Amino acid sequence: MLSQLPIVRRMHRWILPSCGDIRPSRPSSSRRRDAETPRPSPMFPPKLRKTVSEGTLAVPKDVEEFRAMTAYGCLKLFTYDELRQATGDFDPGRIVGEGGFGVVYRGFIDGAARKGHPPTTTREVAVKQLNPEGLQGDREWLTEVSYLGQYSHPNLVELIGYCCDDDHRLLVYEFMAKGSLEHHLFRRACTLSWTARLAIALDVARGLSFLHGAERPIIYRDFKTSNILLDAEFNAKLSDFGLAKEGPMGGKTHVSTRVMGTYGYAAPEYMATGHLTVMSDVYGFGVVLLEMLVGRRAAEPSRAGAREGSLVDWARPILIRPKKLERILDRRIGGPAPRGLGRVARLAYDCLSQNPKVRPVMGRVVTTLEAVLAAGADDEEDEEGTAAAGVS
């Protein structure tokens, strides 16, 4: 079974300079549906909840303050030896992901490490080991622990625990058996159906909507296909919260920050000014939705009509031209143009607007995708009913 797991090479995150600001180098001690038979997301997801019921946990300012805490939320504190044993001494054969942060290993922990699990059972997990020389450091690691340690939602990858021994920084997550959306969408033999793509889009839209609707909005800031992970039933969840940022409060319109993210997915106004809002995430969602429609990466070698290989520049104008839309649709979807294509294309078009004020909020995105999926389900029921009547 292990040999069948794909090795997923995730896109490295880029640091985009803004107003002359560049990221300083860190000292060396400083510290990622069954396609043929997908299971669509439920129309009404479980009630959203915060893991911590009594107020918001303080976000530690640094690792030393973090170490002074006896525990952090409901997270399990692992020793380095425990995780070394869980991953077979970090066996290279267990690597399931790799990127600027370091390496992700497949591992197994006993049930005692998770509340509600019998101690005699084992649980498959993903163990992310931070590379001390990589692009992420202590700040990103603490950000990941802080957000995933406090919030619980069906479309956020569950963080089980962490390790902070000496210079070791590791995180333990639920294991997402199908890997990343990037791995499935951009391989030659992609078999993701139209329904599967819509269900994945709806899942992650719900995750973003939840983050944006928190008591203080959380801006994900690095929305892309490699950060969308799929479980054994192709349910989609957001992972890698290292660049997440609390949104504006008290009447402020934005937060100002160094421009960080991945080329091709960052909103144009954020790249130009460093002003970050929830609409920056909406733009990134639009890029991924466009990638799922067209089957091409956001940044590709230049083609006729595209500027610097930008998929958005090339494809966005076509999204509202029905006669040309079918020509750019990913042919691997198969069959005639699916019902709802025009509505989904228009949604992507709106999310990708240069003007952030006219982009839809994620709650509206969720409503739109639910309606398209529901209409498709009704069509299937009608076809089944017609076929049954013909047989009788």
Side-chain angles (χ1 to χ4, degrees):
M1 177 179 179
L2 181 59
S3 62
Q4 297 175 348
L5 288 172
I7 301 299
V8 182
R9 298 275 178 185
R10 299 180 54 193
M11 291 178 62
H12 285 216
R13 175 184 294 139
W14 292 85
I15 310 303
L16 308 179
S18 175
C19 303
D21 188 13
I22 59 174
R23 188 177 188 179
S25 59
R26 294 184 292 105
S28 59
S29 59
S30 222
R31 301 291 182 242
R32 158 204 8 135
R33 294 181 203 304
D34 186 331
E36 294 79 10
T37 56
R39 188 186 73 169
S41 304
M43 286 293 106
F44 301 99
K47 184 178 179 182
L48 312 183
R49 68 181 179 86
K50 219 179 167 184
T51 301
V52 183
S53 58
E54 299 180 0
T56 303
L57 284 172
V59 177
K61 65 181 180 181
D62 54 34
V63 171
E64 294 309 314
E65 181 177 312
F66 183 76
R67 280 185 175 140
M69 299 178 176
T70 55
Y72 196 83
C74 300
L75 299 180
K76 163 75 175 177
L77 175 60
F78 291 93
T79 66
Y80 183 70
D81 285 341
E82 285 177 324
L83 296 185
R84 185 166 57 186
Q85 181 178 355
T87 58
D89 200 14
F90 301 104
D91 180 2
R94 294 194 182 186
I95 294 176
V96 293
E98 191 171 353
F101 53 80
V103 179
V104 178
Y105 297 86
R106 182 190 185 203
F108 298 88
I109 59 175
D110 62 57
R114 283 295 290 139
K115 187 176 180 180
H117 285 250
T120 56
T121 65
T122 60
R123 183 181 183 185
E124 196 170 21
V125 295
V127 179
K128 181 161 75 173
Q129 183 177 39
L130 192 65
N131 176 4
E133 305 299 328
L135 293 175
Q136 292 192 26
D138 283 342
R139 180 180 298 178
E140 290 85 355
W141 186 85
L142 286 171
T143 298
E144 184 102 355
V145 174
S146 299
Y147 289 132
L148 286 182
Q150 293 190 64
Y151 293 94
S152 175
H153 183 271
N155 300 117
L156 305 183
V157 169
E158 179 190 2
L159 178 63
I160 297 169
Y162 62 92
C163 170
C164 193
D165 285 357
D166 299 323
D167 289 336
H168 301 298
R169 306 283 182 272
L170 299 99
L171 297 171
V172 181
Y173 305 87
E174 64 174 310
F175 186 73
M176 301 294 285
K178 296 297 183 180
S180 71
L181 174 61
E182 177 188 43
H183 170 75
H184 292 275
L185 186 60
F186 300 123
R187 65 181 179 180
R188 187 183 297 268
C190 173
T191 54
L192 290 173
S193 67
W194 171 251
T195 301
R197 297 182 197 212
L198 287 184
I200 290 171
L202 176 57
D203 281 346
V204 292
R206 284 173 171 160
L208 282 181
S209 182
F210 168 68
L211 294 174
H212 293 177
E215 183 177 348
R216 178 167 185 177
I218 298 170
I219 304 171
Y220 184 68
R221 201 162 48 150
D222 200 22
F223 191 85
K224 58 184 178 181
T225 53
S226 60
N227 283 344
I228 298 170
L229 301 185
L230 308 170
D231 69 12
E233 297 177 326
F234 274 77
N235 296 305
K237 305 187 182 189
L238 295 177
S239 69
D240 198 344
F241 279 67
L243 293 189
K245 186 85 173 175
E246 288 187 331
M249 291 286 284
K252 294 183 178 180
T253 60
H254 63 270
V255 291
S256 296
T257 175
R258 236 179 321 164
V259 179
M260 304 172 72
T262 303
Y263 285 116
Y265 298 89
E269 76 280 359
Y270 174 51
M271 292 181 64
T273 66
H275 293 174
L276 187 66
T277 70
V278 293
M279 288 301 166
S280 304
D281 281 346
V282 175
Y283 182 89
F285 177 87
V287 176
V288 170
L289 188 57
L290 179 60
E291 288 181 316
M292 286 198 281
L293 284 170
V294 179
R296 294 178 176 174
R297 294 184 183 273
E300 291 186 334
S302 296
R303 66 172 67 86
R307 185 177 74 243
E308 297 178 354
S310 168
L311 180 67
V312 173
D313 290 342
W314 171 70
R316 183 175 184 263
I318 304 174
L319 294 175
I320 53 173
R321 303 178 68 177
K323 292 183 179 180
K324 290 189 175 182
L325 178 58
E326 290 186 36
R327 299 179 190 174
I328 68 170
L329 184 66
D330 187 353
R331 298 190 179 192
R332 296 171 300 175
I333 292 175
R339 178 171 176 175
L341 172 60
R343 194 171 182 184
V344 174
R346 179 69 202 206
L347 179 63
Y349 180 88
D350 292 341
C351 290
L352 293 169
S353 172
Q354 291 285 312
N355 183 354
K357 293 182 180 179
V358 302
R359 294 173 198 154
V361 297
M362 288 309 302
R364 182 181 144 201
V365 171
V366 169
T367 300
T368 299
L369 291 173
E370 286 177 341
V372 174
L373 268 171
D378 290 342
D379 285 347
E380 290 178 2
E381 289 180 2
D382 290 343
E383 290 176 2
E384 290 175 359
T386 301
V391 171
S392 61

